Amino acid sequence: MQVELLVERNKDGALRAIGEKVLEGKRLSPEEALSLFYKGDLSYVASLAEHVNRKKSGMFAYFVVNRQINPTNVCIYSCSFCSFGVSRSDPRAYELSLQEVLQKVEETYTQGGTEVHIVGGIPPHWRYEDYLNLVREIKRAFPQIVVKAWTAVEIHHMSKISGKSYAQVLEELKEAGVDALPGGGAEIFSDRVRKIIAPYKASAEEYLQVHRTAHQLGIPTNATMLYGHVETYEERVQHMEKLRELQDQTRGFQVFIPLAYWPEGNRLGGKRTSSVDDLKTIAVARLFLDNFDHVKAYWVTLGEKVAQLALNMGADDLDGTVQEERIVHAAGTQSAVGHTKERLIKLIRDAGKVPVERDTFYRPLAIYP
Ligand code: V47
Ligand code: SF4
């Protein structure tokens, strides 16, 4: 049924009014986003979200040929939801040498990759220069590769250990070769939730301030939200509201990435999210974050099939080939550790969309009609 008819025939007055606002291109309030979470059935919310998605991206769905590199899992924090970070003395602790990192970048580059996404733990023994050097050496060896490196949590830590401001750290990282920041570390901005799941690392305000500063320096960033653990719908909406406010000021966010929580191998435990919750969260995000150009269905956390559905319910991006994911695999995801470009093209085609290989900045590199 056409989305206009779905709206017109909705028997719930509040949901009908929300639908009308969406069709008129008006911004939804936090209360309206909450109503969608609480009362909107998936088919209704998803139809509205896909309407907006097609207005923004047409039939295109994006992917990037990239590689994730996690240089170390050693971390001084012990976020209760995290199954990846370990102490330095843990038998599972590892640290890649610079040569090993460069070898991974070389593999990616020679296989046509355009991006490396670098994120790790917060090791107690790394100096500020170690973060800079890693990026500098990658850029020196592979000047063409885009380096999407270090989350706001890592930038905040660098600022602490170096005594430099966020602006100074980000400027020096940019000079060393950082082209964009990934969105990790946001989790849920609510203080109540952070006390339970991530009490020690950068706070919500610090995360937002790092991203604000990056945007002011012309460094584009991504934004995430880890959902499905102890947060409420209200806290999800408040999280997205903070991102929407910052995006209104800076326009520096490229994409929003809802990350479904995986509960294995950590202290927090709990249950996996349902696919209905995954899809509804993507759809509400697409509707609420009207100033974000893209919403990512990260196939590693969603699984391939749900990610394909998400491409018809508000998302226009799958992330990329990834090649070697460790963070969510430590927490139990059954997804492949990486995919070939051909596999991503097929996933997108089978979802009824037109695959577009993009670079980190969403510039199209090739269209596969
Ligand atoms: O910040 C940690 C999440 C994030 C678990 O910017 C977990 O393009 C699920 O941010 N279950 C890192 N998720 C990954 C990330 C990311 C991934 C893909 C693309 C981009 C981008 C960013 O992984 C962490 C945390 O929120 N995470 N533990 C877990 N148990
Ligand atoms: Fe460390 Fe990041 Fe894991 Fe927290 S989520 S324990 S900061 S690796």
Side-chain angles (χ1 to χ4, degrees):
M1 201 190 298
Q2 271 196 328
V3 65
E4 288 80 3
L5 276 182
L6 274 178
V7 171
E8 203 180 301
R9 291 185 188 173
N10 198 311
K11 293 198 170 59
D12 183 301
L15 290 176
R16 198 167 53 246
I18 293 173
E20 283 161 3
K21 272 180 97 171
V22 170
L23 294 179
E24 288 162 19
K26 291 189 179 148
R27 173 167 278 195
L28 298 187
S29 68
E31 295 71 31
E32 288 164 335
L34 261 186
S35 294
L36 292 175
F37 269 127
Y38 277 117
K39 295 201 295 179
D41 64 84
L42 177 61
S43 65
Y44 186 65
V45 185
S47 302
L48 291 175
E50 187 56 13
H51 172 78
V52 173
N53 185 26
R54 289 194 189 185
K55 276 213 302 201
K56 285 188 181 275
S57 297
M59 291 303 284
F60 292 147
Y62 297 88
F63 69 95
V64 59
V65 181
N66 69 348
R67 174 174 204 131
Q68 221 178 97
I69 300 178
N70 310 121
T72 177
N73 62 349
V74 175
C75 190
I76 53 172
Y77 300 124
S78 49
C79 304
S80 64
F81 65 86
C82 178
S83 319
F84 168 74
V86 296
S87 71
R88 208 173 168 188
S89 57
D90 191 292
R92 291 165 298 174
Y94 75 84
E95 194 173 332
L96 302 178
S97 67
L98 179 61
Q99 278 322 308
E100 285 170 319
V101 171
L102 288 175
Q103 203 179 330
K104 286 177 191 291
V105 183
E106 183 176 8
E107 269 171 34
T108 309
Y109 185 64
T110 50
Q111 289 164 17
T114 59
E115 170 191 285
V116 283
H117 171 176
I118 302 176
V119 52
I122 307 281
H125 53 293
W126 276 34
R127 298 157 309 142
Y128 173 50
E129 286 69 31
D130 296 326
Y131 292 89
L132 285 174
N133 280 342
L134 188 72
V135 174
R136 205 177 278 127
E137 292 303 324
I138 292 175
K139 246 339 203 256
R140 203 197 315 267
F142 305 97
Q144 298 88 339
I145 208 109
V146 172
V147 178
K148 183 174 85 177
W150 313 126
T151 64
V153 172
E154 288 159 318
I155 308 284
H156 173 73
H157 177 72
M158 287 177 221
S159 155
K160 265 190 2 195
I161 58 177
S162 66
K164 298 185 181 202
S165 66
Y166 292 159
Q168 283 171 305
V169 169
L170 285 163
E171 262 164 12
E172 287 175 7
L173 285 171
K174 190 177 176 184
E175 210 174 285
V178 165
D179 300 292
L181 302 190
E187 322 316 355
I188 286 278
F189 292 146
S190 139
D191 289 341
R192 181 194 77 84
V193 174
R194 271 188 124 71
K195 270 191 199 134
I196 302 170
I197 68 164
Y200 308 116
K201 68 181 181 187
S203 67
E205 283 319 310
E206 287 159 346
Y207 177 97
L208 291 164
Q209 187 55 27
V210 167
H211 283 262
R212 182 180 291 111
T213 311
H215 299 170
Q216 284 161 352
L217 294 171
I219 305 171
T221 75
N222 297 346
T224 58
M225 174 177 77
L226 181 71
Y227 67 92
H229 38 87
V230 298
E231 87 291 355
T232 61
Y233 285 147
E234 282 78 0
E235 286 159 341
R236 288 188 200 178
V237 173
Q238 283 156 12
H239 182 99
M240 291 192 278
E241 196 184 357
K242 289 215 158 83
L243 292 174
R244 191 170 79 172
E245 277 167 15
L246 181 53
Q247 180 75 330
D248 272 343
Q249 293 161 24
T250 63
R251 296 276 158 180
F253 287 121
Q254 308 196 99
V255 57
F256 178 65
I257 312 154
L259 295 169
Y261 170 61
W262 280 82
E264 280 176 29
N266 58 39
R267 281 180 293 116
L268 187 63
K271 287 200 224 124
R272 283 178 55 183
T273 56
S274 72
S275 37
V276 171
D277 191 21
D278 292 334
L279 293 167
K280 215 164 158 185
T281 305
I282 297 250
V284 174
R286 179 58 291 163
L287 291 168
F288 187 68
L289 295 173
D290 58 344
N291 54 6
F292 276 65
D293 289 341
H294 305 284
V295 173
K296 191 180 281 190
Y298 185 40
W299 59 263
V300 174
T301 50
L302 293 177
E304 292 159 27
K305 286 177 189 280
V306 175
Q308 276 182 313
L309 289 171
L311 292 181
N312 285 280
M313 300 188 181
D316 69 341
D317 184 48
L318 281 186
D319 195 75
T321 46
V322 179
Q323 280 186 306
E324 198 184 351
E325 203 286 332
R326 291 173 188 253
I327 299 174
V328 190
H329 282 85
T333 182
Q334 305 297 311
S335 303
V337 288
H339 274 316
T340 59
K341 171 171 157 176
E342 289 67 33
R343 175 89 184 130
L344 291 183
I345 291 173
K346 181 163 166 41
L347 278 177
I348 293 173
R349 280 197 180 134
D350 289 350
K353 292 290 176 94
V354 178
V356 180
E357 183 183 344
R358 62 165 175 86
D359 67 5
T360 308
F361 314 104
Y362 286 84
R363 291 179 301 215
L365 300 176
I367 299 179
Y368 299 90

